[in-house]
Amino acid sequence: GAAIRDILSVLKRRFPAINVSVLPVAVQGNEAALQIAQAVQRASRLPFDLIIIGRGGGSLEDLWPFNEEIVARAIYDCDIPTVSAVGHEVDFTICDLVADCRAPTPSAAAELISPNAFELDAQIEGYRQLLMDGIKRRLHASHRELTLTAKRLRHPGQRLQEQSQRLDDTELRLLRVINQKIQLTGHQYEGVQRRLQQQQPGNLIAQLNQQRAFLETRLQRAMQNRLQQHQSRLGNSVAKLDALSPLATLKRGYSITLSSDGKQIIRSSDDVSKGDRILSRLEHGDIISEVIQ
């Protein structure tokens, strides 16, 4: 039909590299709605990037298949983006509402989905020009850097002469440092000998014995103080524990009444019944009783 030819013509003019697959269906008549829905479902299972659903202009009756519920649901369930291009600009169908995008005509749909090859060529040319300018600037900068580096280069013989002079200076400084180190070591050795002569082993042993005795005295005193502190704390803790112990209460003549199995403390007469056995815990021994009243 003319609508298909218009779409293909626009795509060929704007971007010939686009691959187009045509799924032919009836676009009017009683079978049109089912064929359109089946074609959309089939297209959703194929590796397409986009689907155009369209036809040329016509009367309301001619365009009515694109208002059918089966077509609307097929487009709604389609995972691939859809463009509705049904009729002329004044025509409007339910397909336009369900699709992801509406184009006023089939030709407009082709314009909408295709890039302009001339604009892309111009953009690519602009990128190429930017790349060439960048390469030229990089080459110019590298050439300038190479020129400066060449000016800084010196003859190897001059570098060797400078290194030889530096080596001689380093050797002189090293000899000077070694002599100073030898003199300093000699002075230190003489000082150590004088200190050794002044410090006899007998005197050092006496001083060490005196320090040991002093430290032993301090250690014993510290241990006694620490033991006294711990004994005092232990006595206080025992006194507090004894004061809080239920055994202390039993010593004053009180008793603890328990159930016969000794697992539950009886705090109220409501906890027992007539005939129950109870256990009374005293300071010395236990008494088993029977509740009479």
Side-chain angles (χ1 to χ4, degrees), residues 38-52:
Q38 291 176 346
V40 172
Q41 294 171 355
R42 178 187 172 197
S44 65
R45 296 190 295 269
L46 296 174
F48 293 151
D49 297 319
L50 183 137
I51 302 173
I52 297 179

Side-chain angles (χ1 to χ4, degrees), residues 165-182:
Q165 183 65 39
R166 291 180 182 176
L167 183 60
D168 293 340
D169 295 339
T170 303
E171 183 180 2
L172 292 176
R173 289 198 301 271
L174 181 60
L175 291 174
R176 190 179 305 114
V177 170
I178 291 175
N179 291 330
Q180 293 176 355
K181 188 68 174 179
I182 291 174

Side-chain angles (χ1 to χ4, degrees), residues 29-146:
N30 295 330
E31 302 297 329
L34 178 61
Q35 292 185 22
I36 295 171
Q38 291 176 346
V40 172
Q41 294 171 355
R42 178 187 172 197
S44 65
R45 296 190 295 269
L46 296 174
F48 293 151
D49 297 319
L50 183 137
I51 302 173
I52 297 179
I53 305 166
R55 59 153 290 164
S59 64
L60 179 62
E61 291 77 9
D62 294 338
L63 303 181
W64 191 256
F66 295 92
N67 289 322
E68 294 289 349
E69 179 181 357
I70 187 174
V71 175
R73 290 192 177 276
I75 297 174
Y76 180 81
D77 295 334
C78 182
D79 295 331
I80 300 175
T82 55
V83 178
S84 175
V86 180
H88 298 301
E89 186 171 359
V90 295
D91 297 323
F92 204 87
T93 64
I94 294 177
C95 178
D96 297 331
L97 300 175
V98 183
D100 296 297
C101 180
R102 175 186 181 270
T105 62
S107 299
E111 293 273 353
L112 182 65
I113 70 167
S114 60
N116 192 327
F118 297 105
E119 294 178 357
L120 289 177
D121 288 340
Q123 187 176 7
I124 293 173
E125 177 62 24
Y127 289 148
R128 188 190 69 82
Q129 189 62 41
L130 289 175
L131 180 61
M132 294 299 297
D133 293 343
I135 293 175
K136 290 179 181 179
R137 288 194 299 271
R138 186 64 178 271
L139 289 174
H140 181 70
S142 299
H143 179 71
R144 184 171 62 253
E145 184 177 357
L146 180 61

